[in-house]
Amino acid sequence: MENGFVDCHCHISAHEFEEDCEDVIQRTREAGVKTVVAVTEAVEEFARVLQLQERYPDLVAPCFGIHPLQAGGGPQQRSVKPQDLDAAVPQFYNHRERLVAVGEVGLDFTPWCAPAQQDRDDQMSVFIKQLSIAKELDLPVNVHSRSAAAVTIETMRGQGVSRALLHNFAGKPSVALEGVKAGYLFSFPPAVCRSRQRDKLIKQIPLEHICLETDSPALGIEKHVRNEPRNIVLPCRYIADIKGVSSETVQLVTAQNAYRLFPKAKTC
């Protein structure tokens, strides 16, 4: 099982994959990906991710989560509101046996997405509620933390969360090291290869706390080109280069880290 890649954060249920999902899955397997940890952003996606697990039970490891930003029926994203979580809560409990994590959850304090204090308060209330569900169901969390790295880690520690993946982490190395102390893991998508901005961060986080992700269909090597799970090889090579170790080492250690964090993904 551990001789392949684990894509720790992927939106395989996104509409961008509906047309050619079978081909995408085939390319994923050919690239050596053994597990795709499939996160959701809204309750409308929950059924789709379960269908994908039924279709590809040895590959797709489902998560349920309500993202801190919601589409709001239009092109503009808006901050999540407590009522966005209402329909989701019973589903977490109904499908608890099939879930490997609660995610994608978190905080996004980007000014144009959360312009008012009320937006941040609403996000925090939804985040804390989902952290408490994760603890109750004994599941790890798959976490988004844009423009909110320190407060996200602080909140999780305050809520007694011990198992978390901070995906596409872009906070300061000093903040990341607080997360390392708490036992959290950090994952990086192909987009990190576009610039050298996160080299220092990746260098300072121990390899035992790093996972690989694609965040497909977003965060690929080219900004406006659809990303796929097969591109997991790109951050693997990039991290290997920064750490001065082989790609095989990064592949092996990140997969072990992933299965340690998401033990139920092993049996998917």
Side-chain angles (χ1 to χ4, degrees):
M1 177 61 100
E2 274 140 14
N3 293 331
F5 293 101
V6 180
D7 185 347
C8 274
H9 187 102
C10 173
H11 298 266
I12 198 70
S13 58
H15 65 85
E16 286 90 340
F17 291 124
E18 275 171 10
E19 295 295 309
D20 63 344
C21 189
E22 191 67 50
D23 295 337
V24 170
I25 294 290
Q26 191 177 334
R27 290 192 288 269
T28 298
R29 294 189 196 279
E30 284 166 1
V33 178
K34 294 287 186 252
T35 304
V36 169
V37 178
V39 292
T40 51
E41 296 188 349
V43 70
E44 293 77 23
E45 275 186 278
F46 289 6
R48 170 84 176 140
V49 89
L50 292 180
Q51 282 163 5
L52 287 167
Q53 188 209 18
E54 280 161 24
R55 209 160 139 201
Y56 311 107
D58 60 331
L59 182 72
V60 175
C63 309
F64 283 1
I66 303 297
H67 193 282
L69 300 181
Q70 295 290 301
Q76 290 304 308
Q77 287 187 307
R78 61 164 175 84
S79 270
V80 71
K81 295 184 177 359
Q83 54 267 36
D84 292 316
L85 189 57
D86 292 347
V89 171
Q91 302 248 37
F92 286 105
Y93 294 95
N94 293 346
H95 299 287
R96 62 194 297 169
E97 297 307 320
R98 293 176 66 179
L99 302 179
V100 303
V102 169
E104 179 173 357
V105 301
L107 301 171
D108 193 317
F109 291 169
T110 317
W112 55 90
C113 295
Q117 185 60 45
Q118 186 59 52
D119 295 324
R120 296 179 175 210
D121 292 347
D122 284 346
Q123 285 191 24
M124 184 63 85
S125 131
V126 170
F127 184 37
I128 287 174
K129 173 68 179 166
Q130 292 185 99
L131 293 178
S132 76
I133 291 170
K135 282 198 305 178
E136 196 181 331
L137 300 180
D138 193 25
L139 291 171
V141 284
N142 206 318
V143 181
H144 174 103
S145 58
R146 194 163 61 153
S147 302
V151 68
T152 301
I153 288 173
E154 204 176 288
T155 302
M156 292 196 297
R157 292 181 80 164
Q159 296 296 313
V161 170
S162 58
R163 294 184 295 149
L165 177 79
L166 287 131
H167 107 93
N168 187 33
F169 191 79
K172 294 178 181 153
S174 58
V175 173
L177 292 176
E178 285 302 307
V180 167
K181 270 190 220 162
Y184 303 153
L185 277 70
F186 299 81
S187 59
F188 299 96
V192 291
C193 310
R194 286 191 218 139
S195 72
R196 312 287 316 188
Q197 283 175 337
R198 278 188 262 183
D199 289 16
K200 189 179 170 195
L201 173 67
I202 292 168
K203 199 170 270 184
Q204 291 203 28
I205 299 173
L207 189 55
E208 288 65 35
H209 286 264
I210 291 178
C211 288
L212 302 176
E213 64 158 298
T214 62
D215 199 28
S216 305
L219 299 186
I221 197 80
E222 293 174 72
K223 264 191 176 159
H224 302 295
V225 176
R226 183 184 73 172
N227 188 19
E228 292 185 16
R230 65 169 169 172
N231 293 326
I232 198 92
V233 297
L234 301 172
C236 179
R237 285 181 201 143
Y238 190 78
I239 291 164
D241 179 50
I242 291 169
K243 293 283 190 192
V245 297
S246 70
S247 292
E248 291 75 18
T249 298
V250 173
Q251 181 192 38
L252 182 67
V253 175
T254 55
Q256 287 170 341
N257 296 343
Y259 291 129
R260 192 173 71 241
L261 179 63
F262 304 117
K264 285 172 79 178
K266 266 188 170 171
T267 54
C268 286

